[in-house]
Amino acid sequence: MSRVHSRDTGPEMLLRKRLFAKGFRYRVDYRHQGGKIDIAFPRHKLALLVDGCFWHCCPMHGSRPKNNKEFWDAKFKLNLNRDKRQTDALHADGWTVLRFWEHELRENMEEVMNRITIALDHRR
């Protein structure tokens, strides 16, 4: 697990490159009391979080290892609880939170970009 990156993941980089190409400027790994935000627009209080299908238990693509079941069940539960705490803390501080599954970025980038553009327009 030491080789698993928490930032600059493939899906995150894909989204960041697309945002930059569209002229959006953002902060990466932005620190907030609720945790780190993958991609943040602090002035507009918009947080973009990219959830990996495996680590965040995607209902469509998430899989669970068969070995060491107790460890993985506990690990996934901690991840989901942390995600909820982070989202709740951001909402409490007035942030809009958009969470995207990694497969959404690969399969439906135009829809993702539309949701981000609408959220930014609404926050302005």
Side-chain angles (χ1 to χ4, degrees), residues 11 13 18 39-40 52 61 67 81 115 124:
M13 295 300 293
R18 188 65 180 273
I39 301 169
H61 302 102
N67 294 333
N81 288 339
R115 286 178 58 198
R124 290 183 178 149

Side-chain angles (χ1 to χ4, degrees), residues 47-71:
L48 307 181
L49 300 165
V50 179
D51 293 337
C53 289
F54 176 76
W55 294 105
H56 298 267
C57 302
C58 171
M60 290 176 62
H61 302 102
S63 62
R64 294 191 179 244
K66 293 180 178 136
N67 294 333
N68 208 357
K69 185 177 177 348
E70 295 80 22
F71 168 82

Side-chain angles (χ1 to χ4, degrees), residues 9-108:
T9 63
E12 219 178 283
M13 295 300 293
L14 186 67
L15 180 57
R16 285 166 38 190
K17 286 178 183 178
R18 188 65 180 273
L19 289 167
F20 194 85
K22 290 281 189 182
F24 294 116
R25 298 304 176 254
Y26 49 83
R27 305 293 290 253
V28 176
D29 258 9
Y30 186 80
R31 292 184 185 270
H32 181 270
Q33 66 216 20
K36 287 184 187 172
I37 301 170
D38 295 330
I39 301 169
F41 295 86
R43 194 170 119 214
H44 305 291
K45 286 195 164 188
L46 176 64
L48 307 181
L49 300 165
V50 179
D51 293 337
C53 289
F54 176 76
W55 294 105
H56 298 267
C57 302
C58 171
M60 290 176 62
H61 302 102
S63 62
R64 294 191 179 244
K66 293 180 178 136
N67 294 333
N68 208 357
K69 185 177 177 348
E70 295 80 22
F71 168 82
W72 286 107
D73 287 346
K75 174 66 178 156
F76 291 140
K77 186 175 181 178
L78 286 171
N79 288 353
L80 294 175
N81 288 339
R82 184 187 64 236
D83 291 347
K84 181 171 179 3
R85 281 193 317 272
Q86 180 184 33
T87 300
D88 291 347
L90 287 163
H91 282 154
D93 197 27
W95 285 70
T96 296
V97 178
L98 297 179
R99 283 189 174 274
F100 299 104
W101 291 109
E102 70 175 286
H103 71 264
E104 286 182 279
L105 301 178
R106 290 195 175 105
E107 298 168 5
N108 224 348

Side-chain angles (χ1 to χ4, degrees), residues 46 48 96-101 104 108-122:
L46 176 64
L48 307 181
T96 296
V97 178
L98 297 179
R99 283 189 174 274
F100 299 104
W101 291 109
E104 286 182 279
N108 224 348
M109 182 60 85
E110 289 308 314
E111 176 61 28
V112 168
M113 293 299 294
N114 285 338
R115 286 178 58 198
I116 294 168
T117 302
I118 290 167
L120 280 170
D121 287 345
H122 184 264

